[in-house]
Amino acid sequence: MPDHAHSSDPAVQTQLDRLAALSPGRDILGLERIAELCARLGNPHNDLPRIFHVAGTNGKGSTCAYLRSILEAQGRRVHSYTSPHLVRFNERIRLAGTLIDDALLAALLHEVLDVAADLQASFFEVTTAAAFLAFARIPADDCIIEVGLGGRLDATNIIPAPAVCGIASLGIDHEAFLLAPEEGVPAEAIERIAWEKTGIFKPGAALATLAYPDHVMKLVRDRAAAVDGTLFSEGDGWAVVPETNGFRWQSNRGSIAPTLRSRMAGAHQMRNAGLAIAMLRSTAEPQPSGDDIGKGIATAFWPGRMQRLGDGPLTKLLPDGTDIWLDGGHNPDAGAALAMALADQPQLHIVCGLLGNKDAMGFLCPFADKIASFQAVPIPGHDDHDPKNLCHWVQSELGIADTQPCDDVAAALAFIAAHRPAADVLICGSLYLAGDVLRRNDELPD
């Protein structure tokens, strides 16, 4: 089933089964099917509240979480659409601050699937149409929409000009979905990725981005100029300044006076938070106050991203006092972010599972010096790198002798408890694995 969507609610599961049967079973880029699907539903995407549209290779989900938390601290009602879900399909659609309930979700999927039968619409296209229906019908002040894959041809890009387009980090991932270079499209992978993601830029929208290498930044500026947009970018227009217990946000549009503190770990989260602030500072009044921003940054949370697991069945497998960190990052850019987040940490025992289409060594190399031992696991229900192969590569390419393939995460943690010296643990390599871990540890995202 696409994205392993399942539900304990029979009515929702009936519709998810219909979706699995109708979907081509893979992501398909292009706007033709989603445009026709939404047309049959009355074009709900044209009736959404104020929109924040966020793309990026990594960090876009965290940026959306910061946006929502700040806007809610301001007292606004916020819809959000994100992907993938970690444990429950409902996580994708949040209505005025609350995860969509099963009864409404079942009804929306039923409505969309009833008109989608002959379109071969993908899992993501049907989900997107259902979210747009909900957002158009239920009152809210703002709507945060995360791009699913790429940008220019992603199903979410059917929306009219949003209030703000934001681009988070850019890196190599999902190369298989990049289209062959065509006239006007850069040939270099990172530039093509930037070109695709900046395809969400639209005339009339404010534009905010992180900083990128000079040749990529030139492309981003050119894409902004093509829609006559004003670019508000890290480095040129705004910056985050790390401090001992947080960071400050400075810009040529005014700065935030108090030190900002995030509960999400890692220096990369300062930049994601900074991008969210930049997007909000690009909107018309009323803008959130410094206090709203401080409260929103402090309370924002995005599960499966450098998350310390709480007490549960998995954490009980390790000695008291052992922390287990969970991160769903899976590409070289995410590996580099993990290396920064772990810079002040001693070595950890690593439990890792990676999908078969991921660059395993590109992900692991940046934080190889933090690996005390390496336990490789499969990702339930997905095509993954064989744990034995992962262990072999870690031994031969990273020079880490202490490796062990395991049947699953619980077996890996039990092995660490029995055979490894005391140290904290990092479980990483896949959002699908992260979802399985949260489910097994009884920590459902809400």
Side-chain angles (χ1 to χ4, degrees):
M1 185 177 295
D3 274 2
H4 276 223
H6 63 275
S7 175
S8 60
D9 183 89
V12 173
Q13 189 60 53
T14 295
Q15 301 309 316
L16 293 176
D17 290 342
R18 288 181 67 198
L19 175 53
L22 289 173
S23 172
R26 58 188 176 88
D27 290 309
I28 305 174
L29 295 177
L31 302 181
E32 298 83 3
R33 290 170 306 281
I34 185 66
E36 175 60 25
L37 181 54
C38 284
R40 295 179 184 186
L41 295 166
N43 292 314
H45 59 290
N46 291 329
D47 295 316
L48 304 186
R50 183 177 69 166
I51 299 171
F52 295 83
H53 200 195
V54 186
T57 306
N58 294 304
K60 59 185 183 292
S62 296
T63 299
C64 290
Y66 283 120
L67 280 170
R68 179 171 63 83
S69 187
I70 294 169
L71 288 166
E72 289 177 348
Q74 190 184 355
R76 298 177 69 85
R77 297 168 299 172
V78 185
H79 296 328
S80 66
Y81 178 54
T82 57
S83 61
H85 62 274
L86 295 180
V87 182
R88 297 166 294 170
F89 184 92
N90 309 57
E91 297 164 32
R92 293 171 178 256
I93 302 173
R94 188 176 292 269
L95 302 174
T98 304
L99 292 187
I100 188 169
D101 66 54
D102 287 332
L104 179 57
L105 177 58
L108 288 169
L109 289 174
H110 187 282
E111 183 175 356
V112 175
L113 289 167
D114 274 358
V115 302
D118 61 330
L119 291 177
Q120 288 193 308
S122 70
F123 177 96
F124 187 73
E125 288 166 338
V126 169
T127 305
T128 300
F132 288 168
L133 273 181
F135 294 169
R137 292 171 177 173
I138 296 173
D141 302 303
D142 299 300
C143 185
I144 299 168
I145 298 175
E146 179 189 2
V147 168
L149 184 64
R152 177 175 66 104
L153 298 177
D154 182 74
T156 65
N157 206 30
I158 193 176
I159 59 172
V164 190
C165 300
I167 311 290
S169 76
L170 296 175
I172 306 298
D173 198 8
H174 301 295
E175 302 99 298
F177 289 97
L178 283 173
L179 300 180
E182 55 190 79
E183 185 176 355
V185 181
E188 182 187 350
I190 188 63
E191 291 188 353
R192 289 168 65 198
I193 289 169
W195 192 87
E196 290 291 344
K197 294 187 187 302
T198 53
I200 69 169
F201 288 175
K202 293 183 174 70
L207 314 175
T209 75
L210 294 184
Y212 313 113
D214 290 345
H215 67 297
V216 177
M217 204 66 228
K218 180 182 183 305
L219 183 150
V220 172
R221 293 190 188 98
D222 289 346
R223 295 282 277 171
V227 297
D228 197 25
T230 300
L231 198 60
F232 190 36
S233 292
E234 181 186 21
D236 294 331
W238 60 270
V240 294
V241 181
E243 295 189 334
T244 302
N245 295 312
F247 67 96
R248 287 181 292 114
W249 189 86
Q250 299 176 338
S251 86
N252 56 21
R253 300 182 183 179
S255 300
I256 308 299
T259 297
L260 301 170
R261 296 176 176 84
S262 174
R263 63 182 289 200
M264 293 198 276
H268 59 292
Q269 291 294 1
M270 298 182 194
R271 299 181 69 211
N272 293 333
L275 175 61
I277 298 170
M279 292 179 70
L280 291 164
R281 283 291 183 253
S282 299
T283 61
E285 297 291 344
Q287 294 187 351
S289 67
D291 287 343
D292 295 332
I293 291 172
K295 181 179 178 182
I297 297 297
T299 57
F301 178 65
W302 195 230
R305 283 75 173 180
M306 278 305 289
Q307 176 181 353
R308 181 190 280 117
L309 294 183
D311 292 338
L314 291 181
T315 53
K316 288 178 181 177
L317 295 172
L318 293 173
D320 290 345
T322 304
D323 282 335
I324 301 180
W325 294 89
L326 177 66
D327 193 273
H330 49 260
N331 53 42
D333 190 53
L338 269 176
M340 293 178 61
L342 299 172
D344 297 326
Q345 291 271 2
Q347 288 191 319
L348 304 98
H349 299 304
I350 304 298
V351 177
C352 181
L354 281 155
L355 294 180
N357 63 352
K358 301 304 177 185
D359 177 1
M361 292 301 101
F363 169 67
L364 293 167
C365 277
F367 60 96
D369 63 328
K370 296 297 181 181
I371 301 177
S373 72
F374 185 84
Q375 286 67 219
V377 297
I379 301 174
H382 292 273
D383 293 331
D384 51 25
H385 284 300
D386 186 285
K388 292 180 180 178
N389 290 339
L390 278 179
C391 287
H392 172 72
W393 296 332
V394 167
Q395 288 178 349
S396 61
E397 299 188 35
L398 302 184
I400 297 168
D402 199 355
T403 69
Q404 178 68 35
C406 299
D407 290 338
D408 57 25
V409 169
L413 295 177
F415 183 86
I416 290 169
H419 301 286
R420 305 296 193 215
D424 289 345
V425 173
L426 171 66
I427 305 173
C428 61
S430 167
L431 286 170
Y432 296 115
L433 182 64
D436 186 60
V437 167
L438 292 174
R439 179 183 61 80
R440 288 171 177 262
N441 205 48
D442 295 336
E443 293 191 66
L444 301 184
D446 59 4

